[in-house]
Amino acid sequence: MASPSTRIDDGRDVDSDNSGPMREKLSVLIVDDELLVRKVHERLVSKLEVAKQVQTQTATNGKEALDLHLSGSSFDIILVDLQMPIMDGTEELRAMGVESMIVGVTSVDAGADKEAFMEAGLDECLAKPLTADKIKSLVETLEKNK
């Protein structure tokens, strides 16, 4: 079952490197069938100083991600594992008109699989493990494309 969590910063108006104003809010959906990976990614995202308010929600597969969107939830970034037993949901989310940045996360060098996922609607594909720098880069890209 999907689970939400919220972290609210201490009110500072600039990010950690003082390069400019922070976003007011960042919402991230983490989709992975492995509990440990979901927890690590959730903690990593919530610790970043990229927004005054960071909300994370998790789902164990693409079907749960679809159900969240069908129930009215929306996210700035969706981090989705590309090797899941049920479905990743990327193509279905795009077909529904979801405009979130969808980022595939994989632990294998997928090659042709990566290309197929990109064609299905991924905005980006990153290798595990995710790092603070990788996620900050995603947020920067999101800001540029606003």
Side-chain angles (χ1 to χ4, degrees):
M1 188 70 193
S3 64
S5 69
T6 302
R7 173 189 61 86
I8 299 176
D9 268 351
D10 61 0
R12 290 181 290 170
D13 289 335
V14 294
D15 59 20
S16 59
D17 65 3
N18 295 322
S19 63
M22 290 181 132
R23 307 174 55 96
E24 283 297 316
K25 178 182 162 196
L26 178 70
S27 59
V28 180
L29 174 62
I30 300 162
V31 186
D32 200 297
D33 58 321
E34 295 287 331
L35 175 62
L36 181 59
V37 172
R38 286 193 311 272
K39 293 288 185 190
V40 168
H41 289 173
E42 189 173 26
R43 185 171 176 91
L44 182 63
V45 169
S46 69
K47 292 286 184 187
L48 291 178
E49 294 181 359
V50 294
K52 291 179 184 176
Q53 181 180 8
V54 177
Q55 295 176 323
T56 60
Q57 195 157 354
T58 62
T60 60
N61 58 58
K63 181 172 179 347
E64 283 186 11
L66 288 172
D67 291 344
L68 284 168
H69 279 278
L70 288 171
S71 70
S73 295
S74 65
F75 304 93
D76 298 306
I77 299 174
I78 301 172
L79 300 173
V80 59
D81 181 23
L82 297 182
Q83 289 83 36
M84 283 193 288
I86 296 180
M87 66 188 291
D88 67 67
T90 302
E91 197 166 351
E92 294 82 356
L93 288 168
R94 289 297 186 218
M96 290 172 45
V98 171
E99 295 181 10
S100 304
M101 174 188 278
I102 302 178
V103 180
V105 183
T106 182
S107 58
V108 297
D109 182 15
D113 288 340
K114 177 181 174 181
E115 191 173 310
F117 282 116
M118 294 299 285
E119 289 174 8
L122 288 182
D123 294 295
E124 185 75 50
C125 190
L126 299 175
K128 289 179 184 175
L130 286 184
T131 63
D133 286 340
K134 288 179 183 178
I135 295 174
K136 283 182 181 181
S137 176
L138 294 174
V139 174
E140 288 170 7
T141 301
L142 193 64
E143 288 297 312
K144 288 177 191 171
N145 296 333
K146 262 170 100 169

